Amino acid sequence: MSDAILRLTAVTRVHGTGANEVHALRGISFAAHPGELVAVMGPSGSGKSTLLTIAGGLDQPTAGAVSVEGTDLVGLSPDERARMRRTSIGYVFQGFNLIPALTAAENVALPRELDGIGARQARDEARRALEEVGIGDLADRFPDDMSGGQQQRVAIARAVVGERRLILADEPTGALDTETGEEILRLLRARCDTGAAGVLVTHEARHAAWADRVVFLRDGVVVDETGSSPVELLTEPAAR
Amino acid sequence: MSRPLSSTTRGGWRVALRLARREALRRKAQTALMLVLICLPVLAVTAAAIVWRTQDVSSAESVDRRMGSADALVESAGTTRVAQAFDPEQGSGWFGDERDESLELTDVLEVLGADRAAIPFTRDYLEFRTDKGLGSLETISTDLGDPLADGLVEPVDGAFPPGPGEVVVNQAVVDRGQGIGDTLTVVRQTPDGEQTFDLEIVGIAESAWSTGFEFAAGSPGAFGEGDPLTTSWLVGGGPVAWDQVRALNEIGALATSRAVLTDPPPTSALPPEFAQDDASVDQLTITVLALVVVMVLLQVVLLAGPAFAVRAKAQARALALVVAAGGTPRQARRTVLASGVVIGAAGGILGVVLGIGVAVVGVPIAQSFDTSRFGPFDVPWALLALVAAFGFVSAVMAAVVPAVSASRQDVVAVLSGRRGEGPPSVRSPLLGLVLLGGGIAGAVLGAGASSGAGANDMGAVLIAGSALVSVVGMILVVPVAVTLVARLSSRLPLTLRFAARDAARHRTRTVPAVAAVGATVAGVVALGIAVSSQEAANAATYQSQLPDGYGSLALSPDTDLDAVDEILARSVGADRIIDVEGIQTSSDDSELELEFSQHGEALLLSYWSTLGSPYAVAAEVPDHIDLPTADRERADAVLAAGGLVLLHDERAIDDGIQVPTLDGDQVTVDARRWTYDATGEGELTDLGSVDTPAVVIEMDRAAPSVALMAPPLVRELGLQTSVVGKLVRGPISEEAEDDISEAAAALPAAPYFYVERGYQPDEAVRIIQGVLAALGAILMLGGTLTATFLALSDARPDLATMAAVGARPRTRRGVAAAYALVVGGIGALLGAPVGFIPGMAISQPLTSGVGDASLDVPWLLIGMVVLGLPLLTAAAVGACARGRLPLTARVD
């Protein structure tokens, strides 16, 4: 499976030292392939978010290797990791994390502009991305003037703009109602179906149903990894 | 916050103050910033006030240095009756008749009581011989060994007191090359000529009055006697009361009494001539001072405003929860105001304490720059209490706007995490425009009232008031300007666009910072225009006496020319000396008058010259007179024909003198001599009258002579010639100038050496300009920096998001620089035009006294302030800002 877009190999992340030492991840190995949406589940403190920050190059593992599209993130400088986030990795957060001072189109264009391409081209790409997520008509609105669902669509458009092939979504539906949440997941799924790899951190079993594969974390280790069918078992470990 | 706020006001304040104190301790860095902003002006004013009060020697403080240990210093005034204020240096008047014979000590003691001790005392300003010539010297002559003289002079080294034929000098004299064992030659100029006194230097002692200025002290009569009608004595034997001072005045003596100065009688005891001096309160000074205080207060409030706005916003969620839990808007407002109370109280006290500390260090430093000795360390507590109150008030005022917006905040928006502010008010910018209009009107009125006919002091007050009104108007326009820039920013690069939009979204933070920069720029521009215009007016009316860089020494017939040549040759070299042969116009008892006339009408000419005579004698135009070839040929032709060349220069033009165009026309020269007898009566003798060809040459620069006369013409008139002056070709260094002046002072008749350096701006003006520029830069930098770093801490979530989508670490620097550019740029662009209003107005009265009122706009300075400083600040902020982005993936 050398064509995996994201590959974590024996990744360990330790916070603090001595008595304050906390093992967030303990030797996790994990991969996401083109066209694949992987759901990561687990209780609070299981290391789901740490996994995502390490996969996105926002944090560095204490040990182990992380590669995105064949590039080893651990060996890169902060600048080079930032470039990876602009060109290869897209983030979607629970809190949307749009910049309120920028319009929807400008928020989407942000990674492209930060990458140094012309403002006009970046905005054209942003408008296309917004149309893809179904809100092309809201391009010039500011985030404060949009609903939660609309904001999250903008966030997804920002995560995919510029043909990025790895989408990391951290509880993207957490702040949305059920129906809007489903819409968002449908968008993510559609994006993966066109060849991107997606990692979806969630604690809702029904969202995992959109995934091709579910990885279950507990105390920083993968306790189970399966196809999409036996999801119910995973969400209710006590029933096993 | 769970406990409901007390319903009583006092209880409400208690809770609010406790919250504010906790918040201050919790956010230490922010609190430190707020304290610095409030503290610094308090500290600066405190330190300056102490240094000023210490440097300022009051009458009571000056008693010892003026009269040693005596009880009074009594001076004969030369008239039969005088009147004086409590301190004669602050006011005295001469009445009665001129005294025929000098006042004697016995006359004084008759008034004060015969059993008093008294010694003669003289303070004089004389000269002494130096290696190079003559130097100035302050002298005291009295019986320095007498207890009455204790404290006048501080012995440092060698023998003390000096006996007859002996003298003590201070370090400044020693530094000029004369030490213990050497002879000091003191020179006294009298109407009968020069008296010299050779005295042996036996010791070194400093004057209690000054440091650094050359000083010598000797026994009575050591430096000769001055005018015998004005002698003075130090008197002891107990306090001299005000009544006794008045009695001394009646016999023609002024008295400085220790008892009167240290414990002055009520002002009603003053003679009627001096009574109104103390009673009059200078309304103008108070008004201007009040305006200055208000402007400084405004500036401090604006500078500190952003910090309070950010703190209020940090508390916004807590305040929203208070309101949601049933708290009133007033309670929310009070919570934010309490921050101002806590920071203001702490900042005011801290500023005063630190200011006293700075003054302790600053007083000796200030003393080292001043030759007058300072008084005792003087802390003006009442003034400092006012200064501390100023700090307190400024902090509370800085918290007012954030407090009001906190009480009006949209609770739902805050609790749902929306971070922006609503659209700006439409009314306040309209009011701002009205105020700006009022400012312009006031400035125009003020300029009219303070210049031209019927000028009065109200003009200055009007202009200062209009400056204040204009700045307030500008502040009200700032929110709209900030919003407008945000609207126009969509085409700007990302960092600038983000900064502009974010600035507009957080107006309570941005507006005071922009306004602080604007007010500073307005001040700098206004003062810049005022100073430049004044300087331009001074420079325009400056009249040079010689060609640029030249020096001149005016000589009289009895000057030793060899000695002059030697002095000049030593300092500048013999090849640069030009002898000017001229007609001797004046002697001890006569005055020569030359009149040039045409067809019986006298030609009006300038008659100034820095030489001993305005009429030079020459067979051809001398090389040092720079003329175009055509003019030189015309002039030479007339001189060759035995004629006269009149040099018409800018001095004559400035005097409005019209000279007819002469080109070889015949002119009549009449020579007459006024002769004066012993009583000063003059008698006129005609010396002769000659018709001669003349030419008028217009010079575009100063001519060293008014007329050049051919030798045959001079002979025909029977006039005597001599070397009337020496010109020295430039450049002449300041050192050479000092050396020549000092040496020339020692020659008989002490010829005056003048060097033409063109218009020289006053050194004090330059220092003030420098200080203002530095202060402006500091204020602008301070305003921009605080706003920028507060904005950065506010924008943390946005920066984290940028990091998550791939911003480089240096993006934070870019954002920081963009913030600085937005705040500095908008402020400068708004402030500069506002500064023109009072600047142009005040230029009118400042320049109208010296010819036509003129306006000189220092475009370079304004360009630097409006464009240069914001760019520089942005660059500095970009370089100083941390490059690391906050690495928070999940931000709520």
Side-chain angles (χ1 to χ4, degrees):
Chain A
M1 296 281 264
S2 62
D3 58 345
I5 291 179
L6 169 68
R7 182 178 294 282
L8 275 67
T9 313
V11 166
T12 295
R13 180 68 173 100
V14 183
H15 295 292
T17 50
N20 297 324
E21 204 170 82
V22 176
H23 286 260
L25 296 176
R26 304 164 190 259
I28 280 191
S29 294
F30 168 83
H33 301 273
E36 192 180 33
L37 179 60
V38 182
V40 178
M41 299 187 68
S44 270
S46 59
K48 303 187 300 283
S49 291
T50 307
L51 181 90
L52 220 54
T53 54
I54 286 180
L58 282 171
D59 193 7
Q60 290 281 71
T62 313
V66 183
S67 79
V68 173
E69 295 192 289
T71 306
D72 176 21
L73 285 190
V74 180
L76 295 181
S77 70
D79 261 0
E80 289 165 330
R81 285 205 299 279
R83 190 177 54 77
M84 289 295 288
R85 286 198 296 278
R86 295 197 298 275
T87 56
S88 300
I89 308 165
Y91 260 107
V92 182
F93 306 91
Q94 177 180 3
F96 320 142
N97 286 15
L98 299 180
I99 292 179
L102 301 180
T103 63
E106 286 170 344
N107 265 290
V108 175
L110 188 62
R112 303 296 288 144
E113 277 200 77
L114 288 170
D115 203 32
I117 74 160
R120 183 185 295 267
Q121 192 193 336
R123 264 178 235 199
D124 287 347
E125 287 181 22
R127 277 173 201 283
R128 277 201 298 280
L130 283 171
E131 271 159 25
E132 275 178 41
V133 297
I135 48 165
D137 52 331
L138 303 182
D140 293 326
R141 286 233 192 134
F142 284 94
D144 282 354
D145 303 331
M146 303 170 94
S147 72
Q150 289 167 335
Q151 290 191 45
Q152 197 58 301
R153 279 166 193 261
V154 176
I156 288 177
R158 186 176 64 190
V160 300
V161 75
E163 306 308 320
R164 283 177 293 179
R165 295 184 64 212
L166 176 60
I167 300 164
L168 305 172
D170 190 358
E171 308 267 12
T173 60
L176 303 175
D177 62 74
T178 315
E179 201 177 321
T180 319
E182 293 292 313
E183 281 296 309
I184 295 300
L185 288 171
R186 186 170 295 126
L187 279 172
L188 273 180
R189 179 70 252 179
R191 187 68 193 176
C192 292
D193 289 345
T194 60
V199 178
L200 167 68
V201 166
T202 181
H203 60 268
E204 287 197 54
R206 57 197 168 77
H207 291 162
W210 289 92
D212 299 306
R213 218 150 38 87
V214 179
V215 173
F216 197 87
L217 290 185
R218 176 175 284 171
D219 295 335
V221 287
V222 177
V223 292
D224 201 357
E225 185 168 357
T226 132
S228 60
S229 40
V231 169
E232 290 75 14
L233 282 177
L234 287 165
T235 51
E236 290 155 41
R240 285 173 80 194
Chain B
M1 297 304 299
S2 58
R3 215 165 60 119
L5 291 167
S6 165
S7 59
T8 68
T9 305
R10 198 200 295 168
W13 271 109
R14 201 161 49 220
V15 174
L17 286 170
R18 190 189 311 138
L19 278 172
R21 209 174 52 236
R22 296 242 173 92
E23 193 73 6
L25 293 173
R26 208 160 70 84
R27 301 172 191 273
K28 291 198 176 63
Q30 205 182 57
T31 304
L33 174 68
M34 294 159 108
L35 278 177
V36 165
L37 292 169
I38 299 299
C39 223
L40 269 184
V42 173
L43 182 155
V45 175
T46 300
I50 294 175
V51 171
W52 166 63
R53 287 294 270 269
T54 302
Q55 168 268 329
D56 186 53
V57 180
S58 68
S59 292
E61 285 170 355
S62 70
V63 166
D64 287 347
R65 61 182 68 180
R66 284 160 74 181
M67 60 182 78
S69 303
D71 292 304
L73 168 66
V74 180
E75 302 159 81
S76 153
T79 59
T80 53
R81 195 173 73 80
V82 292
Q84 68 167 74
F86 296 133
D87 183 348
E89 291 212 342
Q90 285 171 7
S92 57
W94 284 255
F95 306 96
D97 305 317
E98 246 177 68
R99 190 175 278 287
D100 297 330
E101 53 190 43
S102 57
L103 193 74
E104 296 296 330
L105 181 58
T106 47
D107 302 329
V108 172
L109 292 183
E110 205 169 291
V111 173
L112 295 179
D115 54 345
R116 284 177 185 265
I119 52 171
F121 170 79
T122 312
R123 193 184 285 278
D124 257 326
Y125 294 90
L126 305 173
E127 287 165 318
F128 73 110
R129 290 229 187 283
T130 64
D131 296 343
K132 293 168 183 163
L134 277 185
S136 311
L137 184 72
E138 183 192 341
T139 63
I140 283 181
S141 48
T142 187
D143 181 358
L144 290 167
D146 192 288
L148 289 178
D150 279 356
L152 284 172
V153 173
E154 253 174 59
V156 176
D157 192 14
F160 191 87
E166 293 175 347
V167 71
V168 290
V169 298
N170 72 347
Q171 190 59 40
V173 174
V174 176
D175 293 342
R176 298 284 289 263
Q178 280 144 310
I180 295 176
D182 294 340
T183 299
L184 182 75
T185 305
V186 178
V187 179
R188 176 188 288 273
Q189 309 287 351
T190 69
D192 304 326
E194 196 178 271
Q195 289 182 331
T196 59
F197 305 92
D198 290 336
L199 300 157
E200 189 196 349
I201 300 174
V202 293
I204 296 168
E206 292 291 336
S207 157
W209 197 289
S210 63
T211 65
F213 190 79
E214 289 81 355
F215 165 82
S219 51
F223 312 113
E225 299 292 342
D227 183 354
L229 293 178
T230 57
T231 48
S232 48
W233 302 271
L234 294 176
V235 179
V240 173
W242 177 238
D243 287 345
Q244 291 173 302
V245 172
R246 295 296 302 275
L248 285 170
N249 291 168
E250 288 304 316
I251 62 163
L254 294 168
T256 314
S257 158
R258 179 184 297 271
V260 170
L261 293 194
T262 47
D263 183 19
T267 45
S268 58
L270 277 171
E273 295 91 334
F274 302 99
Q276 74 269 27
D277 281 0
D278 278 17
S280 74
V281 179
D282 191 347
Q283 206 64 41
L284 177 72
T285 310
I286 289 177
T287 314
V288 171
L289 197 68
L291 284 168
V292 168
V293 169
V294 171
M295 283 190 227
V296 174
L297 184 68
L298 190 63
Q299 185 73 20
V300 175
V301 168
L302 291 175
L303 280 172
F308 284 95
V310 168
R311 170 149 304 175
K313 225 166 62 57
Q315 290 177 298
R317 197 175 165 78
L319 295 176
L321 287 171
V322 168
V323 174
T328 62
R330 177 195 284 192
Q331 285 162 332
R333 193 160 60 229
R334 197 180 284 158
T335 307
V336 177
L337 267 183
S339 277
V341 172
V342 167
I343 299 284
I349 294 169
L350 198 65
V352 166
V353 170
L354 291 177
I356 294 174
V358 168
V360 168
V361 180
V363 164
I365 297 174
Q367 173 71 84
S368 68
F369 286 103
D370 197 334
T371 53
S372 287
R373 277 182 199 264
F374 290 0
F377 192 79
D378 201 346
V379 181
W381 290 110
L383 182 64
L384 296 195
L386 276 178
V387 175
F390 174 91
F392 177 77
V393 169
S394 57
V396 173
M397 282 177 69
V400 166
V401 173
V404 170
S405 21
S407 69
R408 288 193 191 150
Q409 69 181 354
D410 179 347
V411 175
V412 179
V414 171
L415 289 179
S416 65
R418 291 209 286 273
R419 289 184 277 146
E421 291 166 26
S425 145
V426 187
R427 262 176 306 167
S428 47
L430 283 178
L431 178 63
L433 289 176
V434 170
L435 287 179
L436 276 172
I440 294 171
V444 170
L445 280 175
S450 58
S451 59
N456 60 49
D457 291 342
M458 270 317 289
V461 175
L462 260 174
I463 292 170
S466 76
L468 187 61
V469 169
S470 311
V471 168
V472 173
M474 179 200 74
I475 295 171
L476 292 176
V477 177
V478 169
V480 177
V482 170
T483 310
L484 199 67
V485 169
R487 290 242 175 93
L488 297 175
S489 67
S490 58
R491 300 255 159 245
L492 295 176
L494 176 67
T495 46
L496 270 175
R497 191 185 335 135
F498 172 73
R501 297 250 187 86
D502 196 67
R505 286 170 47 81
H506 299 98
R507 281 187 311 278
T508 47
R509 179 189 74 208
T510 311
V511 167
V514 170
V517 172
T520 305
V521 169
V524 169
V525 167
L527 289 168
I529 291 175
V531 171
S532 291
S533 299
Q534 197 176 14
E535 284 292 294
N538 288 344
T541 50
Y542 177 79
Q543 295 175 326
S544 41
Q545 308 295 318
L546 285 176
D548 287 348
Y550 272 57
S552 71
L553 206 55
L555 302 178
S556 53
D558 47 355
T559 315
D560 179 351
L561 291 177
D562 291 339
V564 169
D565 279 340
E566 196 199 317
I567 289 168
L568 293 178
R570 200 164 56 212
S571 294
V572 295
D575 55 329
R576 282 161 59 187
I577 306 168
I578 302 159
D579 283 7
V580 180
E581 185 84 6
I583 295 166
Q584 215 50 79
T585 47
S586 55
S587 65
D588 286 345
D589 56 359
S590 73
E591 195 79 39
L592 179 79
E593 189 180 282
L594 288 184
E595 188 184 82
F596 308 103
S597 58
Q598 192 184 26
H599 315 307
E601 295 252 345
L603 302 176
L604 287 171
L605 288 173
S606 142
Y607 51 88
W608 304 339
S609 175
T610 57
L611 301 172
S613 159
Y615 310 114
V617 179
E620 58 180 16
V621 179
D623 290 342
H624 68 263
I625 298 179
D626 188 20
L627 290 183
T629 317
D631 283 349
R632 181 175 287 274
E633 283 170 358
R634 282 197 303 146
D636 280 345
V638 169
L639 287 176
L644 172 71
V645 176
L646 299 171
L647 297 172
H648 186 57
D649 66 17
E650 58 190 14
R651 294 173 299 199
I653 295 164
D654 277 337
D655 280 357
I657 293 169
Q658 292 298 316
V659 172
T661 326
L662 298 177
D663 195 3
D665 306 62
Q666 287 290 310
V667 161
T668 309
V669 183
D670 286 300
R672 307 178 200 107
R673 185 179 298 283
W674 284 96
T675 317
Y676 304 96
D677 62 15
T679 62
E681 289 290 308
E683 193 189 337
L684 190 62
T685 322
D686 271 325
L687 297 179
S689 178
V690 172
D691 285 346
T692 183
V695 63
V696 169
I697 302 289
E698 289 223 28
M699 293 188 70
D700 55 359
R701 56 195 308 167
S705 302
V706 171
L708 302 175
M709 299 170 76
L713 174 63
V714 178
R715 276 197 299 276
E716 202 173 339
L717 285 164
L719 301 174
Q720 286 204 322
T721 68
S722 66
V723 176
V724 292
K726 300 269 182 185
L727 288 177
V728 179
R729 243 184 240 115
I732 299 163
S733 68
E734 307 235 347
E735 194 191 348
E737 182 183 354
D738 288 346
D739 285 352
I740 294 172
S741 296
E742 192 172 330
L747 293 173
Y752 175 59
F753 185 59
Y754 175 80
V755 176
E756 182 58 65
R757 300 204 183 277
Y759 174 68
Q760 297 288 318
D762 193 350
E763 192 62 27
V765 171
R766 273 198 222 170
I767 292 171
I768 291 170
Q769 273 176 304
V771 168
L772 281 176
L775 203 64
I778 289 170
L779 284 176
M780 198 164 165
L781 206 66
T784 313
L785 284 183
T786 44
T788 300
F789 285 103
L790 288 169
L792 281 182
S793 78
D794 242 11
R796 214 182 133 80
D798 296 337
L799 291 168
T801 301
M802 285 198 199
V805 300
R808 291 175 195 83
R810 68 163 182 269
T811 300
R812 189 172 188 275
R813 289 179 196 273
V815 168
Y819 266 121
L821 197 61
V822 166
V823 170
I826 299 178
L829 283 175
L830 283 178
V834 170
F836 271 81
I837 301 171
M840 288 170 73
I842 201 76
S843 301
Q844 289 279 325
L846 279 180
T847 61
S848 61
V850 285
D852 293 336
S854 55
L855 178 71
D856 185 73
V857 180
W859 290 112
L860 182 69
L861 173 86
I862 293 175
M864 271 168 54
V865 167
V866 174
L867 296 175
L869 267 181
L871 286 172
L872 194 74
T873 318
V877 166
C880 296
R882 251 187 320 149
R884 246 180 48 218
L885 284 162
L887 288 181
T888 328
R890 197 207 302 248
V891 188
D892 289 325

